[in-house]
Amino acid sequence: MKQIRYGIIGAGHFGAEMARMIHERTSSALSAVYSVNGVGAARVREELGCETEDTLEGLLAREDVDAVLVASPNVFHPEQAIAAARAKKHIFCEKPLAFTYKDAQNIIREAEKNGVTLMTGFTMRFYDGFAKMKRMIADGCIGEPLAAFASRVGWDEPKPASGWKKDQGISGGHLFHHIHEIDLLLWMAGPVDGVYAAGGNLIHTGPGMGTQDDLILLNFHFAGGAYGSMESSSLHQIPQHCVKINGTKGGLEADMRTSQLTLWRNGQPVEAYPMFDDPESQAYNISYNQKGPAHGSPVNRPPLTFRTTMPKELCVFEKKLLGEPVEPIYEDLFAGASGASATAVVEAALRSVRSQKLEPVEK
Ligand SMILES: NC(=O)c1ccc[n+]([C@@H]2O[C@H](COP(=O)([O-])OP(=O)(O)OC[C@H]3O[C@@H](n4cnc5c(N)ncnc54)[C@H](O)[C@@H]3O)[C@@H](O)[C@H]2O)c1
């Protein structure tokens, strides 16, 4: 089988883990890593013995790079993905694809024009429980979605910000960290026409504390007629992390804290499944999520559940590159489709926080 040769852009928490994963796989090879200050990249070079590049241009000019993984801070994704497309490199772009629908469309157009594959990194779709939930909904198990809900809330100690993740200008806002849950809602309940959202930065304020919102509450109007809501917060004393879809014939509830997917009918739980098929990941997920949802740190390795999930999403990316069939539920991860839709919902939500009106979602 042809090996896919990768270049990695950004070598922190996520990029370094992707580098390890590519290094370990026989189907892929790690050609070089680039990070803007070289610090993360040098650490990856020492650990894995790969090459590093000092500039993005250097990385993109390499003949031994077939595809790039964009794992830099959020604000840089559009310019770097577009540069990669122009250099004829396939692109796996970490979420979010962009902060605006327009920027997402620019990436999509450039990828199309240059004939390269573009995939958005919505890792949570590859958790066994969420994939099962999607397949059950697609098979008609709960009928037509009527009411959808997602929550990713927990307590983040107000403390001086130590990196870009608390800087609204670079992260785009907390909702872009939690765009996974928006993607899951769109994936399971269909496109959203309009969003009303409220929130702001209520307690994570003061010198050095960062500028990100710490609470956003959203209400959705789905195009298919369903309604939905979501809460995203780092000020909740009572943590919660779940996705629930109620349909005409039943309901599905994925709860990350209990690590269980439950099928409900007529107000009663009737079947339950683990969120992870692999017992080690399942046990880890339960203990990890008891603390509340993670907010990510540049210094630590991602949780085990990510480490066991990331190879599955990379496998789908590589299948596409090799012209092999991809499970239909994952097709919209390509050509920027789901990346752009989720971005459009966040963009409309942030607009709604300011306008205090229901805002249309661009399509
Ligand atoms: N799919 C997921 O579940 C998931 C989880 C965590 C992070 N992410 C995404 O991965 C990306 C990176 O997040 P992280 O947690 O690794 O952050 P991080 O801060 O740990 O790492 C960022 C890396 O990018 C480098 N960098 C900074 N500016 C750069 C630039 N202009 N060009 C190239 N490199 C640059 C830094 O030196 C560092 O090596 C983000 O977009 C984030 O949203 C996705």
Side-chain angles (χ1 to χ4, degrees):
M1 185 173 93
K2 182 183 180 297
Q3 261 199 334
I4 311 291
R5 299 164 304 170
Y6 288 93
I8 297 188
I9 303 172
H13 179 63
F14 222 68
E17 197 58 39
M18 286 175 145
R20 288 182 197 104
M21 184 174 71
I22 287 164
H23 182 71
E24 278 166 18
R25 291 160 62 84
T26 50
S27 59
S28 57
L30 178 60
S31 296
V33 178
Y34 157 70
S35 69
V36 79
N37 52 19
V39 176
R43 201 183 53 213
V44 172
R45 182 181 58 209
E46 270 168 40
E47 183 183 332
L48 305 178
C50 65
E51 293 181 31
T52 51
E53 287 289 342
D54 295 335
T55 62
L56 179 64
E57 295 71 29
L59 185 84
L60 296 179
R62 289 181 71 120
E63 302 243 317
D64 63 354
V65 169
D66 304 310
V68 293
L69 300 184
V70 180
S72 52
N74 300 352
V75 71
F76 303 114
H77 293 182
E79 75 183 61
Q80 294 179 338
I82 286 173
R86 289 182 179 156
K88 310 275 186 220
K89 306 299 182 193
H90 301 293
I91 307 152
F92 178 97
C93 185
E94 257 319 315
K95 43 62 61 173
L97 199 51
F99 294 163
T100 63
Y101 186 70
K102 186 166 160 262
D103 279 353
Q105 290 302 323
N106 287 341
I107 302 175
I108 291 168
R109 254 195 309 277
E110 212 60 45
E112 259 172 38
K113 200 158 83 186
N114 289 286
V116 296
T117 295
L118 167 66
M119 178 172 169
T120 310
F122 283 131
T123 322
M124 289 179 70
R125 286 193 184 199
F126 296 87
Y127 286 9
D128 300 310
F130 287 123
K132 187 173 186 63
M133 190 171 176
K134 168 65 184 175
R135 289 184 194 112
M136 287 169 84
I137 293 171
D139 289 348
C141 176
I142 61 163
E144 291 303 314
L146 296 173
F149 174 73
S151 174
R152 187 161 181 181
V153 299
W155 173 245
D156 212 2
E157 190 66 32
K159 57 182 178 300
S162 59
W164 65 270
K165 287 187 179 171
K166 299 265 181 208
D167 183 329
Q168 187 97 4
I170 304 180
S171 73
H174 210 103
L175 207 47
F176 279 110
H177 296 313
H178 292 178
I179 197 170
H180 287 292
E181 284 69 23
I182 290 185
D183 174 61
L184 291 172
L185 288 175
L186 298 178
W187 196 36
M188 294 181 196
V192 163
D193 279 343
V195 186
Y196 175 79
N201 192 6
L202 306 196
I203 61 168
H204 291 80
T205 56
M209 303 286 278
T211 48
Q212 259 192 176
D213 299 325
D214 56 12
L215 175 74
I216 305 225
L217 305 173
L218 307 94
N219 284 308
F220 306 112
H221 291 226
F222 286 91
Y227 295 98
S229 55
M230 174 169 157
E231 44 186 27
S232 161
S233 146
S234 54
L235 62 68
H236 270 55
Q237 302 283 343
I238 308 165
Q240 183 169 223
H241 192 186
C242 61
V243 176
K244 305 180 194 191
I245 310 289
N246 286 277
T248 48
K249 294 198 288 188
L252 279 163
E253 173 184 28
D255 187 336
M256 288 294 281
R257 279 171 61 75
T258 56
S259 206
Q260 186 167 289
L261 172 67
T262 309
L263 171 65
W264 293 74
R265 288 204 197 285
N266 306 317
Q268 300 296 322
V270 290
E271 279 168 35
Y273 315 90
M275 282 300 287
F276 292 90
D277 295 345
D278 147 48
E280 195 189 352
S281 299
Q282 173 68 357
Y284 178 96
N285 195 45
I286 293 170
S287 63
Y288 180 78
N289 279 296
Q290 290 305 321
K291 299 191 289 280
H295 296 289
S297 150
V299 284
N300 301 327
R301 284 186 77 176
L304 175 72
T305 42
F306 269 22
R307 284 182 262 142
T308 51
T309 304
M310 287 152 70
K312 294 182 191 165
E313 82 178 318
L314 203 66
C315 186
V316 166
F317 180 60
E318 291 179 358
K319 273 190 176 177
K320 193 62 147 187
L321 296 190
L322 296 170
E324 294 171 14
V326 164
E327 188 179 348
I329 59 167
Y330 293 125
E331 278 294 350
D332 68 336
L333 288 173
F334 291 98
S338 58
S341 324
T343 287
V345 172
V346 178
E347 186 185 9
L350 297 180
R351 213 168 47 238
S352 173
V353 169
R354 293 191 299 273
S355 71
Q356 301 187 358
K357 291 188 182 132
L358 179 76
E359 291 285 347
V361 173
E362 277 188 88
K363 290 196 183 80

